[in-house]
Amino acid sequence: MTMKKLLLAILFVGSASATCLAQANQGSKFNIGVEAGLPVGSTHDLYNSVIGGSIKYELSVASSTFLTLSAGYNSFHSTDDYQAVGAKSSVGFVPLKAGLKYYFNEGFFGEGQLGVAINTVKDGGSAFAYSPGIGYSFDGGLEAGVRYEGWSKGGTISQVGLRVGYRF
């Protein structure tokens, strides 16, 4: 079984389990959002922006603490210099992550996630993904957060990202 098939199977089983648990746990939520990022470090030499979207499931496991499962799509857009040498103008990745989200008070939270980022180019491979961040959940379901995200495999692709989402 290929790595992509295995990860998709894990995501499917995790999503199905989370859906079943959501019916029993009123503190659990789905969250859908849009993302924008700025590549940092050596990644900034090749790419100048990131745009994407994601869906996240938050399962209440303790007071103020949630287990998170997320899947999304990020498109890195290359700089003009990189395109001049015949490279693609953008490259896509599918990050699949799990982590913990902790609310410090009414709306402020800290979150850390680990997982895998799958390159959408044929035989593009995958990389270990990690993303610590902070944010605020507003009354009415709106949420905004900022994070550092790195994908490591023989080097690191990294960004500082902003995510605006809606919890339901």
Side-chain angles (χ1 to χ4, degrees):
M1 182 180 278
T2 67
M3 181 68 142
K4 288 182 185 179
K5 289 180 183 176
L6 177 62
L7 290 171
L8 289 174
I10 291 169
L11 181 63
F12 175 77
V13 170
S15 296
S17 300
T19 301
C20 292
L21 289 170
Q23 296 173 1
N25 191 335
Q26 296 299 327
S28 301
K29 304 263 185 206
F30 279 97
N31 185 322
I32 189 164
V34 295
E35 303 182 14
L38 294 173
V40 294
S42 61
T43 307
H44 183 66
D45 296 339
L46 303 175
Y47 304 103
N48 56 11
S49 65
V50 183
I51 190 78
S54 62
I55 187 163
K56 185 186 298 185
Y57 179 72
E58 302 172 4
L59 174 66
S60 177
V61 293
S63 177
S64 302
T65 306
F66 292 79
L67 173 68
T68 63
L69 300 172
S70 67
Y73 179 81
N74 287 168
S75 178
F76 281 70
H77 296 273
S78 64
T79 62
D80 292 337
D81 293 339
Y82 191 58
Q83 290 178 31
V85 296
K88 291 185 176 187
S89 62
S90 66
V91 65
F93 294 89
V94 176
L96 304 172
K97 301 177 289 186
L100 287 176
K101 183 177 192 177
Y102 179 77
Y103 283 88
F104 300 111
N105 64 20
E106 297 272 330
F108 285 102
F109 64 84
E111 181 174 22
Q113 291 187 304
L114 301 174
V116 64
I118 303 166
N119 190 320
T120 60
V121 175
K122 183 179 179 183
D123 298 325
S126 59
F128 172 70
Y130 53 95
S131 61
I134 58 171
Y136 189 82
S137 293
F138 299 91
D139 289 337
L142 187 64
E143 178 177 282
V146 64
R147 73 181 184 286
Y148 170 83
E149 185 152 343
W151 303 336
S152 297
K153 181 181 178 180
T156 300
I157 295 174
S158 56
Q159 67 169 305
V160 172
L162 171 68
R163 182 177 189 275
V164 177
Y166 180 74
R167 294 180 330 278
F168 56 96

